[in-house]
């Protein structure tokens, strides 16, 4: 065992003395030491139940003969951080989580890890750490929130965000807004639509790093605690068989994850996180592979915000394994990949049938023949940009309109709230990329305002920042190169015509090449006075097209 180097022999008596100081018996010290990485805190709704999940994992580890030892990981609630300086600190925590978990695990010589994350950067950060550490590891999340109910209809976090736009447009009164406020998020858990947290938890199943149900069993269900106990027991089997993260997270496994991503209609943030996780495994993923996979992968699910179904319904319909089983009917998956179950993908999904074809469309009757995410290129985004195609109104899949340019999210939000954005406009928000933000803020508030004011079928939004998984509409993010790195988005002027063609994966600034060259010659990217972690982050971070990894 890895921990033997800390536990065995006379020279390690000081280490053993400190284990005894923890209250560990000699029997516990002699067993494999299993670190449980707990993301519990009292500020993120998706994490307030994680203490219960961690307790269940502890029981499972102990039942199977291991010694469970808990240590923490941080997490930011994107919803609470949204729309102010706090959002600059969301994406950047992904790397803090990976770094701190690496430090804790190596400093204390754990034999294996059980990761207990739930929210947006927490899941990919711990996946990145697991790839670096490459000791037996399994994931079990805190689980998704149940949907809210208003006027007989289910709701999710995007509902309250769009209700603010409706209120500003005079469509609902303060009393109705307050009802949304109180009823939209009725339980703990990661927000109930196919937003980033649930996307990443579902993709952890697809990658093979979690047991079936990890992404879909609601946080408040007792089945979640049963899953956690099974994960705790399973880690001991992974130690015995010496199955490690890089045995599981192979190039074929990432292909599977991207395929499931397209079928589920996951958050565009997956296009940041999958390349970053793969990078830690020594695998480079180019964004172009997303379009290649999308071309042959049908979109089988329209979960909120793209549709009116929620994660709890995906769970009832058979979950991620049922989606994967549908995909396998056309041999779209690599079924020979090993997983944390000790079995292959094919063995895992066998028999997981689709129990509700309204939630998971049959492979021969999909919502669309192509996947839920598209990567757009053109002179405005030569290195790529990302859109959640499955959440775009049909009339906005092809659009041309005049640019309305803003240097930050706050300025765009003020213009939208003041009614200055008109049908046909293309809102451009720049200097919000990984380097320029810094931190690549999500733009849920402006996109929700646009939808709530009834402009979702006539106004597009383009940014070098990114979007929440709760965003819907013609919202194109991750424009690369970003303005702060000298990208063409930095020289767009008010009134310039921008052309969007999502079916053809194109994003173009309709300005002649000579004028673009003239503007670029005189272009000096704006800079910001930074301090602390954000200053270091801005200096090290790569393009959004490369997963915003730190160089």
């Amino acid at each position: 065992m890895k921990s033997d180097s800390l536990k065995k022999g006379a020279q390690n008596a000081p280490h053993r003395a400190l284990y005894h100081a923890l209250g560990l018996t000699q029997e516990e010290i002699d067993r494999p030491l299993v670190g449980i990485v707990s993301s519990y805190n009292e500020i993120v709704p998706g994490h307030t139940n994680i203490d219960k999940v961690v307790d269940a994992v502890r029981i499972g580890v102990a039942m199977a003969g291991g010694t469970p030892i808990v240590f923490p990981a941080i997490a930011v609630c994107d919803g609470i951080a949204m729309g102010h300086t706090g959002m600059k600190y969301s994406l950047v925590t992904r790397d803090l989580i990976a770094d701190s978990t690496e430090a804790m695990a190596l400093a204390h010589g754990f034999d294996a890890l059980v990761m207990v994350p739930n929210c947006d950067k927490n899941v990919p950060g711990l996946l990145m750490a697991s790839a670096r550490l490459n000791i037996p590891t399994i994931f079990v999340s805190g689980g998704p929130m149940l949907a809210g109910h208003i006027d007989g209809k289910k709701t999710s976090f995007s509902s309250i965000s769009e209700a603010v736009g409706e209120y500003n447009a005079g469509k609902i009164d303060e009393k109705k807004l307050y009802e949304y406020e109180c009823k939209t998020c009725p339980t703990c858990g990661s927000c109930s639509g196919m937003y980033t947290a649930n996307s990443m938890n579902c993709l952890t199943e697809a990658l093979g790093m979690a047991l079936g149900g990890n992404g879909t069993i609601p946080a408040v269900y007792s089945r979640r605690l049963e899953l956690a106990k099974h994960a705790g027991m399973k880690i001991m089997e992974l130690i015995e068989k010496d199955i490690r993260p890089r045995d599981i997270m192979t190039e074929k496994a990432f292909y599977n994850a991207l395929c499931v991503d397209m079928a589920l209609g996951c958050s565009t943030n997956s296009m940041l996180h999958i390349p970053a996780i793969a990078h830690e495994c020594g695998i480079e993923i180019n964004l172009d592979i997303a379009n290649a996979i999308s071309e042959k992968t049908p979109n089988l699910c329209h979960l909120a915000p793209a549709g009116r179904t929620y994660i709890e319904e995906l769970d009832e319909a058979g979950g991620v394994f049922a989606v994967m089983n549908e995909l396998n009917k056309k041999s779209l998956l690599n079924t020979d990949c090993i997983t944390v179950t000790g079995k292959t993908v094919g063995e895992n999904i066998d028999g997981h049938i689709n129990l509700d074809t309204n939630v998971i469309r049959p492979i021969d009757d999909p919502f669309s023949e192509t996947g839920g995410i598209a990567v757009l290129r053109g002179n405005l985004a030569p290195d790529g940009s990302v859109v959640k195609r499955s959440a775009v109104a049909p009339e906005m899949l092809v659009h041309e309109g005049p640019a309305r340019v803003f240097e930050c999210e706050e300025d765009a939000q003020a213009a939208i709230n003041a009614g200055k954005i008109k049908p046909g406009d293309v809102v451009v928000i720049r200097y919000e990329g990984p380097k320029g933000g810094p931190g690549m803020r999500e733009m849920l508030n402006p996109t929700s305002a646009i939808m709530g004011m009834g402009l979702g079928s006539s106004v597009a939004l383009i940014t070098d920042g990114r979007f929440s998984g709760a965003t819907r509409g013609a919202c194109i993010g991750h424009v690369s190169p970003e303005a702060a790195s000298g990208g063409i988005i930095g020289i767009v002027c008010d009134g310039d015509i921008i052309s969007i063609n999502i079916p053809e994966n194109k994003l173009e600034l309709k300005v002649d090449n000579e004028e673009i060259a003239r503007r670029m010659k005189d272009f000096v990217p704006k800079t910001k006075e930074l301090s602390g972690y954000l200053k270091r982050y801005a200096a090290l971070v790569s393009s959004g097209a490369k997963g915003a990894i730190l160089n």
Side-chain angles (χ1 to χ4, degrees), residues 3-30 33:
S3 63
D4 284 350
S5 63
L6 284 74
K7 298 187 305 190
K8 301 293 186 182
Q11 73 278 7
N12 286 323
H15 295 151
R16 293 194 296 274
L18 294 171
Y19 290 140
H20 285 299
L22 295 171
L24 296 181
T25 66
Q26 189 61 50
E27 291 83 356
E28 289 174 302
I29 295 170
D30 289 340
L33 302 184

Side-chain angles (χ1 to χ4, degrees), residues 330-352:
K330 289 195 174 180
S331 302
L332 293 172
L333 298 175
N334 298 297
T335 56
D336 58 342
C337 295
I338 195 68
T339 72
V340 292
T341 65
K343 300 177 181 178
T344 64
V345 167
E347 290 173 314
N348 285 345
I349 66 176
D350 184 43
H352 286 266

Side-chain angles (χ1 to χ4, degrees), residues 44-56:
V44 183
H47 292 231
T48 57
N49 67 314
I50 279 179
D51 57 338
K52 310 295 190 300
V53 177
V54 166
D55 285 345

